[in-house]
Amino acid sequence: MSHHLPHHLILYSKPGCHLCEGLQEKLEMVNLSSDLHLTIELRDITTNDRWLAAFQYEIPVLRWLADGESELPIPRPSPRCSVVQLEQHLRKAFATITQNH
């Protein structure tokens, strides 16, 4: 996948989740400061029973919709990571996932 195409990320979250809000803010900052071209889709787990059952104890959960259909997990970054560290984390995850699929 070319790095010029958007990387469609799904962020599973819920209202009042401070870790989720922090990650969303950093993802948006990565998008502004890098060439990763992220598309960030927020999914509120409280609006879907399947998402709630799967992720209620795990949020924030970050997935890459690599081929438009399959959600591939991205390891959770540290809540203390900087924007630069998050960008590096995402680049490593994209490279690893691309190699393995």
Side-chain angles (χ1 to χ4, degrees):
M1 174 177 282
S2 167
H3 70 272
H4 296 293
L5 296 174
H7 291 85
H8 186 142
L9 297 180
I10 300 169
L11 177 58
Y12 288 94
S13 179
K14 72 176 182 179
C17 172
H18 299 296
L19 291 176
C20 303
E21 293 164 1
L23 181 55
Q24 178 186 355
E25 184 176 302
K26 287 178 187 173
L27 287 168
E28 290 169 357
M29 292 170 68
V30 166
N31 208 18
L32 293 173
S33 65
S34 77
D35 65 349
L36 282 178
H37 305 284
L38 304 175
T39 299
I40 305 161
E41 176 184 346
L42 293 177
R43 291 188 179 172
D44 178 353
I45 64 168
T46 66
T47 65
N48 181 297
D49 290 339
R50 190 170 46 91
W51 298 343
L52 185 63
F55 303 126
Q56 65 180 329
Y57 301 114
E58 305 296 323
I59 59 169
V61 172
L62 195 56
R63 298 286 174 96
W64 180 24
L65 199 62
D67 58 6
E69 294 180 19
S70 302
E71 290 184 27
L72 305 174
I74 294 178
R76 185 185 323 193
S78 167
R80 294 185 179 93
C81 75
S82 69
V83 173
V84 170
Q85 290 169 324
L86 179 57
E87 179 183 348
Q88 293 168 344
H89 178 83
L90 290 172
R91 287 185 189 280
K92 182 178 178 183
F94 293 146
T96 301
I97 292 168
T98 302
Q99 287 175 352
N100 293 335
H101 286 86

